[in-house]
Amino acid sequence: MTWHASDELLRGYAAGDDLAADVVWAVEVHLESCAACRARLAAGADAVAPLLDQVWANLHPSPAPAPTRRGRWLATWATPAMAPWLVMTALVTLLALLADLLIPRPFPSLALLLAPIAPVAGVAAAWARGLDPAHELIAATPRAGLYLVLRRTLAVLAVVIPLLAVTTWTSPLRWLLPCLAFTVATLALGGFVGVRRAAVTLVGGWGVLVIGPSLVTARPPAVLEPAALGVWAAVLVICAAVVRLRSGVYTRLEN
């Protein structure tokens, strides 16, 4: 049986009564998909229409137009804080490419070493409370949570992966799967400690355990060899399962 808001509940919602927060949220979510209840809500507002018309007529200057849906749509895909982090990622990747062109072989490719962790900074900035001025507003919407985190993560990957494909075009299969695994691992670990802390932990661990030894020995790491792709695939699947099983925690992420 389909649930509909009662007349008393709709009157209280329209009048701005002191309803419980979860009740208000449930009514708003239901009104998004129920035309019948929206029509009942509009019919109940006829009694206050003359008063509203009088208030609007006395307002000066004319009220600014309501924000467009385009702005709200963009907010679900990106935040202003993501831009500088993505620019920084692009600059670091290009500098690594320049170093690869200047440093003679067989020194390991810096671009290849950085490729797996390249999207992590952007993913952390995509859901950082301290970096997004509209975080609380967006987090309070019914579609916040894992849905929003995944959309912003896809936006980061849509920028970073083509850049990596250009700079490491000779070996895309060696970094693509590790790159996706690191991205999903950031979200999985972020469900426990916050996305920003997870990003710092994973980037730091990769730098100490992989990048550092590779630069010292002048050898490419074994974890980026084709033989390790099966391990990366397993990591990706496990982390994706963790993200799916703990999907509810992303509505309360602080970082």
Side-chain angles (χ1 to χ4, degrees), residues 136-162:
E136 293 185 359
L137 179 63
I138 298 298
T141 61
R143 293 187 178 183
L146 182 59
Y147 171 82
L148 185 59
V149 172
L150 291 180
R151 292 189 73 166
R152 291 184 174 179
T153 300
L154 288 176
V156 173
L157 292 176
V159 175
V160 175
I161 286 183

PDB file of all heavy atoms in Angstrom, residues 136-162:
ATOM      1  N   GLU A 136      27.098  21.894   4.439  1.00  0.00           N
ATOM      2  CA  GLU A 136      25.952  21.589   5.302  1.00  0.00           C
ATOM      3  C   GLU A 136      24.643  21.651   4.529  1.00  0.00           C
ATOM      4  O   GLU A 136      23.728  20.858   4.764  1.00  0.00           O
ATOM      5  CB  GLU A 136      25.925  22.555   6.479  1.00  0.00           C
ATOM      6  CG  GLU A 136      27.106  22.370   7.443  1.00  0.00           C
ATOM      7  CD  GLU A 136      26.988  23.257   8.655  1.00  0.00           C
ATOM      8  OE1 GLU A 136      26.009  24.031   8.735  1.00  0.00           O
ATOM      9  OE2 GLU A 136      27.873  23.191   9.527  1.00  0.00           O
ATOM     10  N   LEU A 137      24.550  22.597   3.601  1.00  0.00           N
ATOM     11  CA  LEU A 137      23.330  22.706   2.799  1.00  0.00           C
ATOM     12  C   LEU A 137      23.151  21.488   1.901  1.00  0.00           C
ATOM     13  O   LEU A 137      22.058  20.910   1.822  1.00  0.00           O
ATOM     14  CB  LEU A 137      23.388  23.988   1.956  1.00  0.00           C
ATOM     15  CG  LEU A 137      22.196  24.244   1.022  1.00  0.00           C
ATOM     16  CD1 LEU A 137      20.922  24.427   1.823  1.00  0.00           C
ATOM     17  CD2 LEU A 137      22.456  25.467   0.151  1.00  0.00           C
ATOM     18  N   ILE A 138      24.220  21.080   1.237  1.00  0.00           N
ATOM     19  CA  ILE A 138      24.139  19.923   0.343  1.00  0.00           C
ATOM     20  C   ILE A 138      23.932  18.639   1.135  1.00  0.00           C
ATOM     21  O   ILE A 138      23.161  17.760   0.753  1.00  0.00           O
ATOM     22  CB  ILE A 138      25.409  19.830  -0.518  1.00  0.00           C
ATOM     23  CG1 ILE A 138      25.554  21.078  -1.405  1.00  0.00           C
ATOM     24  CG2 ILE A 138      25.387  18.588  -1.374  1.00  0.00           C
ATOM     25  CD1 ILE A 138      24.421  21.264  -2.381  1.00  0.00           C
ATOM     26  N   ALA A 139      24.611  18.529   2.282  1.00  0.00           N
ATOM     27  CA  ALA A 139      24.512  17.311   3.089  1.00  0.00           C
ATOM     28  C   ALA A 139      23.111  17.110   3.649  1.00  0.00           C
ATOM     29  O   ALA A 139      22.733  15.988   3.998  1.00  0.00           O
ATOM     30  CB  ALA A 139      25.526  17.350   4.224  1.00  0.00           C
ATOM     31  N   ALA A 140      22.327  18.183   3.764  1.00  0.00           N
ATOM     32  CA  ALA A 140      20.983  18.083   4.322  1.00  0.00           C
ATOM     33  C   ALA A 140      19.935  17.709   3.284  1.00  0.00           C
ATOM     34  O   ALA A 140      18.783  17.476   3.643  1.00  0.00           O
ATOM     35  CB  ALA A 140      20.592  19.405   4.980  1.00  0.00           C
ATOM     36  N   THR A 141      20.302  17.629   2.013  1.00  0.00           N
ATOM     37  CA  THR A 141      19.335  17.284   0.979  1.00  0.00           C
ATOM     38  C   THR A 141      19.042  15.790   0.999  1.00  0.00           C
ATOM     39  O   THR A 141      19.883  14.982   1.417  1.00  0.00           O
ATOM     40  CB  THR A 141      19.862  17.683  -0.407  1.00  0.00           C
ATOM     41  OG1 THR A 141      21.074  16.957  -0.660  1.00  0.00           O
ATOM     42  CG2 THR A 141      20.151  19.171  -0.470  1.00  0.00           C
ATOM     43  N   PRO A 142      17.858  15.377   0.529  1.00  0.00           N
ATOM     44  CA  PRO A 142      17.515  13.952   0.549  1.00  0.00           C
ATOM     45  C   PRO A 142      18.449  13.075  -0.271  1.00  0.00           C
ATOM     46  O   PRO A 142      18.588  11.893   0.000  1.00  0.00           O
ATOM     47  CB  PRO A 142      16.087  13.929  -0.021  1.00  0.00           C
ATOM     48  CG  PRO A 142      15.549  15.294   0.234  1.00  0.00           C
ATOM     49  CD  PRO A 142      16.714  16.221   0.117  1.00  0.00           C
ATOM     50  N   ARG A 143      19.102  13.640  -1.292  1.00  0.00           N
ATOM     51  CA  ARG A 143      19.965  12.841  -2.152  1.00  0.00           C
ATOM     52  C   ARG A 143      21.422  12.845  -1.703  1.00  0.00           C
ATOM     53  O   ARG A 143      22.295  12.386  -2.436  1.00  0.00           O
ATOM     54  CB  ARG A 143      19.870  13.350  -3.593  1.00  0.00           C
ATOM     55  CG  ARG A 143      18.493  13.110  -4.208  1.00  0.00           C
ATOM     56  CD  ARG A 143      18.472  13.469  -5.661  1.00  0.00           C
ATOM     57  NE  ARG A 143      17.177  13.196  -6.271  1.00  0.00           N
ATOM     58  CZ  ARG A 143      16.889  13.362  -7.553  1.00  0.00           C
ATOM     59  NH1 ARG A 143      17.818  13.824  -8.370  1.00  0.00           N
ATOM     60  NH2 ARG A 143      15.692  13.092  -8.020  1.00  0.00           N
ATOM     61  N   ALA A 144      21.702  13.389  -0.555  1.00  0.00           N
ATOM     62  CA  ALA A 144      23.080  13.375  -0.054  1.00  0.00           C
ATOM     63  C   ALA A 144      23.464  11.954   0.343  1.00  0.00           C
ATOM     64  O   ALA A 144      22.631  11.067   0.440  1.00  0.00           O
ATOM     65  CB  ALA A 144      23.212  14.322   1.136  1.00  0.00           C
ATOM     66  N   GLY A 145      24.745  11.775   0.619  1.00  0.00           N
ATOM     67  CA  GLY A 145      25.221  10.465   1.011  1.00  0.00           C
ATOM     68  C   GLY A 145      26.014   9.810  -0.098  1.00  0.00           C
ATOM     69  O   GLY A 145      26.711  10.479  -0.868  1.00  0.00           O
ATOM     70  N   LEU A 146      25.917   8.489  -0.208  1.00  0.00           N
ATOM     71  CA  LEU A 146      26.712   7.759  -1.183  1.00  0.00           C
ATOM     72  C   LEU A 146      26.414   8.205  -2.606  1.00  0.00           C
ATOM     73  O   LEU A 146      27.323   8.287  -3.443  1.00  0.00           O
ATOM     74  CB  LEU A 146      26.449   6.253  -1.041  1.00  0.00           C
ATOM     75  CG  LEU A 146      27.250   5.339  -1.970  1.00  0.00           C
ATOM     76  CD1 LEU A 146      28.744   5.521  -1.751  1.00  0.00           C
ATOM     77  CD2 LEU A 146      26.846   3.887  -1.765  1.00  0.00           C
ATOM     78  N   TYR A 147      25.149   8.512  -2.901  1.00  0.00           N
ATOM     79  CA  TYR A 147      24.778   8.985  -4.240  1.00  0.00           C
ATOM     80  C   TYR A 147      25.591  10.217  -4.620  1.00  0.00           C
ATOM     81  O   TYR A 147      26.148  10.306  -5.720  1.00  0.00           O
ATOM     82  CB  TYR A 147      23.280   9.304  -4.248  1.00  0.00           C
ATOM     83  CG  TYR A 147      22.779  10.008  -5.488  1.00  0.00           C
ATOM     84  CD1 TYR A 147      22.469   9.286  -6.637  1.00  0.00           C
ATOM     85  CD2 TYR A 147      22.600  11.388  -5.509  1.00  0.00           C
ATOM     86  CE1 TYR A 147      22.004   9.924  -7.773  1.00  0.00           C
ATOM     87  CE2 TYR A 147      22.138  12.036  -6.640  1.00  0.00           C
ATOM     88  CZ  TYR A 147      21.838  11.300  -7.767  1.00  0.00           C
ATOM     89  OH  TYR A 147      21.396  11.938  -8.886  1.00  0.00           O
ATOM     90  N   LEU A 148      25.704  11.162  -3.710  1.00  0.00           N
ATOM     91  CA  LEU A 148      26.438  12.391  -3.981  1.00  0.00           C
ATOM     92  C   LEU A 148      27.938  12.134  -4.029  1.00  0.00           C
ATOM     93  O   LEU A 148      28.653  12.681  -4.887  1.00  0.00           O
ATOM     94  CB  LEU A 148      26.115  13.426  -2.896  1.00  0.00           C
ATOM     95  CG  LEU A 148      26.702  14.825  -3.080  1.00  0.00           C
ATOM     96  CD1 LEU A 148      26.223  15.432  -4.382  1.00  0.00           C
ATOM     97  CD2 LEU A 148      26.306  15.715  -1.912  1.00  0.00           C
ATOM     98  N   VAL A 149      28.440  11.316  -3.127  1.00  0.00           N
ATOM     99  CA  VAL A 149      29.872  11.002  -3.110  1.00  0.00           C
ATOM    100  C   VAL A 149      30.299  10.346  -4.418  1.00  0.00           C
ATOM    101  O   VAL A 149      31.337  10.694  -5.002  1.00  0.00           O
ATOM    102  CB  VAL A 149      30.199  10.082  -1.913  1.00  0.00           C
ATOM    103  CG1 VAL A 149      31.632   9.583  -1.997  1.00  0.00           C
ATOM    104  CG2 VAL A 149      29.997  10.833  -0.605  1.00  0.00           C
ATOM    105  N   LEU A 150      29.499   9.408  -4.930  1.00  0.00           N
ATOM    106  CA  LEU A 150      29.850   8.716  -6.164  1.00  0.00           C
ATOM    107  C   LEU A 150      29.801   9.658  -7.364  1.00  0.00           C
ATOM    108  O   LEU A 150      30.656   9.576  -8.260  1.00  0.00           O
ATOM    109  CB  LEU A 150      28.910   7.526  -6.382  1.00  0.00           C
ATOM    110  CG  LEU A 150      29.066   6.367  -5.402  1.00  0.00           C
ATOM    111  CD1 LEU A 150      28.076   5.255  -5.730  1.00  0.00           C
ATOM    112  CD2 LEU A 150      30.485   5.829  -5.412  1.00  0.00           C
ATOM    113  N   ARG A 151      28.834  10.561  -7.397  1.00  0.00           N
ATOM    114  CA  ARG A 151      28.754  11.496  -8.521  1.00  0.00           C
ATOM    115  C   ARG A 151      29.976  12.400  -8.556  1.00  0.00           C
ATOM    116  O   ARG A 151      30.559  12.655  -9.613  1.00  0.00           O
ATOM    117  CB  ARG A 151      27.478  12.334  -8.421  1.00  0.00           C
ATOM    118  CG  ARG A 151      26.212  11.549  -8.626  1.00  0.00           C
ATOM    119  CD  ARG A 151      25.005  12.436  -8.737  1.00  0.00           C
ATOM    120  NE  ARG A 151      24.970  13.147 -10.013  1.00  0.00           N
ATOM    121  CZ  ARG A 151      23.908  13.781 -10.492  1.00  0.00           C
ATOM    122  NH1 ARG A 151      22.796  13.812  -9.780  1.00  0.00           N
ATOM    123  NH2 ARG A 151      23.932  14.386 -11.642  1.00  0.00           N
ATOM    124  N   ARG A 152      30.381  12.904  -7.401  1.00  0.00           N
ATOM    125  CA  ARG A 152      31.550  13.778  -7.374  1.00  0.00           C
ATOM    126  C   ARG A 152      32.832  13.001  -7.654  1.00  0.00           C
ATOM    127  O   ARG A 152      33.770  13.534  -8.252  1.00  0.00           O
ATOM    128  CB  ARG A 152      31.618  14.488  -6.022  1.00  0.00           C
ATOM    129  CG  ARG A 152      30.505  15.505  -5.848  1.00  0.00           C
ATOM    130  CD  ARG A 152      30.626  16.267  -4.548  1.00  0.00           C
ATOM    131  NE  ARG A 152      29.619  17.323  -4.474  1.00  0.00           N
ATOM    132  CZ  ARG A 152      29.486  18.137  -3.437  1.00  0.00           C
ATOM    133  NH1 ARG A 152      30.283  18.013  -2.386  1.00  0.00           N
ATOM    134  NH2 ARG A 152      28.560  19.086  -3.433  1.00  0.00           N
ATOM    135  N   THR A 153      32.872  11.741  -7.233  1.00  0.00           N
ATOM    136  CA  THR A 153      34.040  10.918  -7.545  1.00  0.00           C
ATOM    137  C   THR A 153      34.149  10.682  -9.045  1.00  0.00           C
ATOM    138  O   THR A 153      35.241  10.749  -9.625  1.00  0.00           O
ATOM    139  CB  THR A 153      33.945   9.575  -6.805  1.00  0.00           C
ATOM    140  OG1 THR A 153      33.888   9.820  -5.393  1.00  0.00           O
ATOM    141  CG2 THR A 153      35.146   8.698  -7.117  1.00  0.00           C
ATOM    142  N   LEU A 154      33.030  10.422  -9.702  1.00  0.00           N
ATOM    143  CA  LEU A 154      33.034  10.254 -11.157  1.00  0.00           C
ATOM    144  C   LEU A 154      33.483  11.531 -11.855  1.00  0.00           C
ATOM    145  O   LEU A 154      34.180  11.474 -12.881  1.00  0.00           O
ATOM    146  CB  LEU A 154      31.638   9.847 -11.641  1.00  0.00           C
ATOM    147  CG  LEU A 154      31.193   8.425 -11.308  1.00  0.00           C
ATOM    148  CD1 LEU A 154      29.751   8.199 -11.762  1.00  0.00           C
ATOM    149  CD2 LEU A 154      32.109   7.404 -11.972  1.00  0.00           C
ATOM    150  N   ALA A 155      33.095  12.687 -11.307  1.00  0.00           N
ATOM    151  CA  ALA A 155      33.526  13.962 -11.899  1.00  0.00           C
ATOM    152  C   ALA A 155      35.042  14.100 -11.821  1.00  0.00           C
ATOM    153  O   ALA A 155      35.685  14.577 -12.767  1.00  0.00           O
ATOM    154  CB  ALA A 155      32.838  15.121 -11.187  1.00  0.00           C
ATOM    155  N   VAL A 156      35.625  13.686 -10.699  1.00  0.00           N
ATOM    156  CA  VAL A 156      37.089  13.735 -10.557  1.00  0.00           C
ATOM    157  C   VAL A 156      37.757  12.799 -11.555  1.00  0.00           C
ATOM    158  O   VAL A 156      38.716  13.170 -12.246  1.00  0.00           O
ATOM    159  CB  VAL A 156      37.493  13.381  -9.117  1.00  0.00           C
ATOM    160  CG1 VAL A 156      39.011  13.255  -9.010  1.00  0.00           C
ATOM    161  CG2 VAL A 156      36.989  14.431  -8.137  1.00  0.00           C
ATOM    162  N   LEU A 157      37.252  11.574 -11.661  1.00  0.00           N
ATOM    163  CA  LEU A 157      37.845  10.604 -12.583  1.00  0.00           C
ATOM    164  C   LEU A 157      37.709  11.056 -14.035  1.00  0.00           C
ATOM    165  O   LEU A 157      38.599  10.793 -14.854  1.00  0.00           O
ATOM    166  CB  LEU A 157      37.171   9.241 -12.396  1.00  0.00           C
ATOM    167  CG  LEU A 157      37.435   8.537 -11.067  1.00  0.00           C
ATOM    168  CD1 LEU A 157      36.635   7.245 -10.988  1.00  0.00           C
ATOM    169  CD2 LEU A 157      38.928   8.246 -10.888  1.00  0.00           C
ATOM    170  N   ALA A 158      36.619  11.735 -14.360  1.00  0.00           N
ATOM    171  CA  ALA A 158      36.423  12.213 -15.728  1.00  0.00           C
ATOM    172  C   ALA A 158      37.461  13.241 -16.125  1.00  0.00           C
ATOM    173  O   ALA A 158      37.752  13.418 -17.320  1.00  0.00           O
ATOM    174  CB  ALA A 158      35.017  12.806 -15.870  1.00  0.00           C
ATOM    175  N   VAL A 159      38.027  13.931 -15.150  1.00  0.00           N
ATOM    176  CA  VAL A 159      39.088  14.910 -15.429  1.00  0.00           C
ATOM    177  C   VAL A 159      40.462  14.263 -15.385  1.00  0.00           C
ATOM    178  O   VAL A 159      41.319  14.514 -16.251  1.00  0.00           O
ATOM    179  CB  VAL A 159      39.009  16.080 -14.419  1.00  0.00           C
ATOM    180  CG1 VAL A 159      40.173  17.033 -14.613  1.00  0.00           C
ATOM    181  CG2 VAL A 159      37.689  16.821 -14.561  1.00  0.00           C
ATOM    182  N   VAL A 160      40.703  13.423 -14.386  1.00  0.00           N
ATOM    183  CA  VAL A 160      42.051  12.905 -14.139  1.00  0.00           C
ATOM    184  C   VAL A 160      42.437  11.791 -15.108  1.00  0.00           C
ATOM    185  O   VAL A 160      43.564  11.757 -15.619  1.00  0.00           O
ATOM    186  CB  VAL A 160      42.168  12.418 -12.677  1.00  0.00           C
ATOM    187  CG1 VAL A 160      43.525  11.753 -12.443  1.00  0.00           C
ATOM    188  CG2 VAL A 160      41.976  13.572 -11.725  1.00  0.00           C
ATOM    189  N   ILE A 161      41.529  10.874 -15.380  1.00  0.00           N
ATOM    190  CA  ILE A 161      41.887   9.724 -16.214  1.00  0.00           C
ATOM    191  C   ILE A 161      42.294  10.125 -17.635  1.00  0.00           C
ATOM    192  O   ILE A 161      43.298   9.623 -18.156  1.00  0.00           O
ATOM    193  CB  ILE A 161      40.742   8.693 -16.216  1.00  0.00           C
ATOM    194  CG1 ILE A 161      40.711   7.962 -14.868  1.00  0.00           C
ATOM    195  CG2 ILE A 161      40.907   7.676 -17.351  1.00  0.00           C
ATOM    196  CD1 ILE A 161      39.683   6.872 -14.770  1.00  0.00           C
ATOM    197  N   PRO A 162      41.565  11.018 -18.324  1.00  0.00           N
ATOM    198  CA  PRO A 162      42.063  11.435 -19.651  1.00  0.00           C
ATOM    199  C   PRO A 162      43.438  12.083 -19.582  1.00  0.00           C
ATOM    200  O   PRO A 162      44.270  11.883 -20.486  1.00  0.00           O
ATOM    201  CB  PRO A 162      40.996  12.433 -20.116  1.00  0.00           C
ATOM    202  CG  PRO A 162      39.756  12.029 -19.397  1.00  0.00           C
ATOM    203  CD  PRO A 162      40.224  11.578 -18.050  1.00  0.00           C
TER     204      PRO A 162
END
